[in-house]
Amino acid sequence: MNEVRPRTRIQRRNTGAILEAALAVFAAQGFRGATLDQIAEAAGLSKPNLLYYFPSKEAIHLDLLTGLLDLWLDPLRALDPEGEPVAEILAYVRRKLELSRDFPLESRLFANEVLQGAPRLAGVIAGELRDLVEAKAAVIRRWAEAGRIRPVHPQHLIFSIWALTQHYADFEVQVRLVLGAGEPDPFPAAEAHLEALFTRLLAP
Amino acid sequence: MNEVRPRTRIQRRNTGAILEAALAVFAAQGFRGATLDQIAEAAGLSKPNLLYYFPSKEAIHLDLLTGLLDLWLDPLRALDPEGEPVAEILAYVRRKLELSRDFPLESRLFANEVLQGAPRLAGVIAGELRDLVEAKAAVIRRWAEAGRIRPVHPQHLIFSIWALTQHYADFEVQVRLVLGAGEPDPFPAAEAHLEALFTRLLAP
DNA sequence: GCGATGTTTGACCGGATGGTCAGGATGACG
DNA sequence: CGTCATCCTGACCATCCGGTCAAACATCGC
């Protein structure tokens, strides 16, 4: 079911090239829109050679999605219940925005999956992710009850952070086109804006 | 290049059914992932009959996108420079959230297009949309300079509104899975959350 | 240098997909 | 009821797509 276990130098190089190429293609076209030919060409391999390393298109996609999950959830896991509430949440926002800046393809891969109804990630979202959100929402609720942040709906606060940060990766084209050529890198201004937004929302 | 101009009763009914069916399929699968067979079946027509009303798959997609634009831009157009600033922006947020609740397929169609690099909408985004945003950003900037709202980066404020409201349509599956079966309709809580968020951000 | 193991490819397959076309069915209208 | 325009369909086509396979080629340990 999985690809060839990378044991030789060549295997490591080629599976790496395939996953990198596939990430770009799946992120831009979605699963159904992507073709093995596109991936093979981007990876610099022939299509049969692709299928020597991975048993199917589906397997490549799944490999990317599962590999993505830790990267995606770690910033929320790092939210420290013992830390200073506003600073903790702002740090989470900053980490998530950095992810959008440094891994936009991963963000768009995830966005495509969820847009298409999360056929492959529904289980993880309803399980692992839901549990993690619930746990961190409880932390936020306690902070609010202790008066250390203003009262907020914890889950919707987390949704807001996801929406606002991932927007800069998923809708990057729109952001750049609307801002125009004047400002080439929107991220510094975005960071300042989001910091102000969450500070004013949360600081008691 | 366009479909048959709807002049008869049958034409109106069938072009309508086709566009409705195509909206659902394109929103769920993206342009490349959607097939004419899926659309035809959802519309209750045969594939050749589909192509009697529209010259190509591309034409259906384009028709949907262009028809979508007014729906999409009207809420921002309605932002009144003469109104009370905070109330105006909150009303814009509410209108945009209503759009996400009532037209999630349209939102996902748009999201797919932008995710894929906006190949068909780049012109409109860099033109019409950019101009509109620029004009409304100027209004917001004037409000800030007059001290009627707190200082904000106008464009990024608008991006925030888009991100936060569209998130509830584009990532609807994720929102529902994370909240769990307990709360079936996330929109009332979302509205309250967003109202608090933007009030605290903007109210002087 | 040689056999074993690992890697690559051209040729091919069955099914899906966007699209065409000739002709038949079904209206609208006098 | 006749006729003309509109509407619909089965059969078909070329191309694309995911995937297979046997055979050629490279690499490595000895």
Side-chain angles (χ1 to χ4, degrees):
Chain A
M1 194 169 301
N2 262 347
E3 80 277 20
V4 175
R5 287 259 160 249
R7 287 159 59 252
T8 76
R9 208 177 345 125
I10 296 178
Q11 278 170 19
R12 232 186 317 276
R13 169 167 49 89
N14 282 351
T15 54
I18 291 169
L19 288 173
E20 195 186 324
L23 173 61
V25 176
F26 283 133
Q29 311 270 8
F31 178 74
R32 294 213 25 156
T35 74
L36 288 180
D37 285 294
Q38 288 175 292
I39 298 172
E41 199 197 327
L45 298 173
S46 67
K47 187 172 59 169
N49 203 8
L50 246 188
L51 292 162
Y52 170 75
Y53 289 99
F54 290 85
S56 67
K57 179 183 174 183
E58 178 88 32
I60 305 176
H61 192 239
L62 216 61
D63 222 63
L64 283 172
L65 283 181
T66 54
L68 182 57
L69 263 171
D70 279 334
L71 178 72
W72 227 233
L73 298 189
D74 275 343
L76 182 52
R77 287 207 188 92
L79 190 88
D80 183 5
E82 309 300 327
E84 202 285 307
V86 176
E88 279 298 321
I89 292 170
L90 286 182
Y92 175 45
V93 172
R94 214 170 300 117
R95 282 194 298 273
K96 209 75 177 58
L97 189 62
E98 274 162 22
L99 238 50
S100 281
R101 194 219 304 141
D102 299 336
F103 302 97
L105 294 178
E106 281 82 351
S107 184
R108 291 199 273 269
L109 179 72
F110 189 84
N112 260 305
E113 168 70 8
V114 178
L115 255 184
Q116 268 135 55
R120 291 155 244 269
L121 284 187
V124 195
I125 291 176
E128 214 177 328
L129 178 57
R130 187 179 189 282
D131 293 344
L132 178 62
V133 168
E134 194 121 356
K136 298 304 182 178
V139 172
I140 294 169
R141 198 175 302 111
R142 259 177 268 127
W143 284 342
E145 283 164 1
R148 304 185 65 192
I149 58 173
R150 293 222 224 177
V152 282
H153 191 305
Q155 270 96 344
H156 285 276
L157 171 64
I158 292 173
F159 293 155
S160 296
I161 295 171
W162 292 348
L164 287 167
T165 55
Q166 290 172 15
H167 185 82
Y168 288 98
D170 302 343
F171 289 73
E172 188 181 359
V173 179
Q174 183 181 243
V175 167
R176 290 187 189 277
L177 286 177
V178 166
L179 288 178
E183 200 178 348
D185 182 9
F187 280 94
E191 187 181 341
H193 172 71
L194 294 188
E195 186 176 330
L197 189 151
F198 283 106
T199 303
R200 289 179 194 168
L201 174 64
L202 296 171
Chain B
M1 193 171 302
N2 261 347
E3 80 277 21
V4 175
R5 286 262 158 246
R7 287 159 60 251
T8 76
R9 206 179 345 124
I10 298 177
Q11 278 170 20
R12 234 187 315 277
R13 168 167 50 87
N14 283 349
T15 55
I18 291 169
L19 288 173
E20 194 185 326
L23 173 61
V25 176
F26 283 132
Q29 312 270 7
F31 178 74
R32 294 215 24 158
T35 75
L36 288 179
D37 285 294
Q38 287 174 292
I39 298 172
E41 198 198 327
L45 300 173
S46 68
K47 189 171 59 167
N49 203 8
L50 244 185
L51 292 162
Y52 171 74
Y53 289 99
F54 290 86
S56 67
K57 180 183 174 182
E58 177 86 33
I60 305 176
H61 192 239
L62 215 62
D63 222 64
L64 282 172
L65 284 181
T66 54
L68 181 57
L69 263 170
D70 279 335
L71 178 72
W72 226 233
L73 298 189
D74 274 345
L76 182 52
R77 286 207 189 92
L79 190 87
D80 182 5
E82 310 300 325
E84 202 286 307
V86 175
E88 280 297 321
I89 292 170
L90 286 181
Y92 175 45
V93 171
R94 213 171 300 117
R95 282 194 298 273
K96 209 75 177 55
L97 189 62
E98 275 163 21
L99 238 49
S100 280
R101 193 221 302 141
D102 300 335
F103 303 96
L105 294 178
E106 281 82 350
S107 184
R108 290 199 273 270
L109 179 73
F110 190 83
N112 260 305
E113 168 69 8
V114 177
L115 255 183
Q116 269 135 52
R120 292 156 242 268
L121 284 187
V124 195
I125 292 175
E128 213 175 329
L129 178 57
R130 187 179 189 282
D131 293 344
L132 178 62
V133 168
E134 194 121 355
K136 298 304 182 179
V139 172
I140 294 169
R141 197 175 302 112
R142 259 177 269 130
W143 284 341
E145 282 163 2
R148 305 184 65 189
I149 58 173
R150 293 223 225 175
V152 282
H153 191 304
Q155 270 96 345
H156 285 275
L157 171 64
I158 293 172
F159 292 155
S160 296
I161 296 171
W162 293 348
L164 287 168
T165 55
Q166 290 173 14
H167 185 83
Y168 288 98
D170 302 342
F171 289 73
E172 187 180 1
V173 179
Q174 182 181 245
V175 167
R176 290 189 188 275
L177 287 176
V178 167
L179 288 178
E183 198 178 351
D185 181 9
F187 280 94
E191 187 180 341
H193 172 71
L194 294 187
E195 185 174 332
L197 189 151
F198 283 106
T199 303
R200 290 180 194 167
L201 173 64
L202 296 172

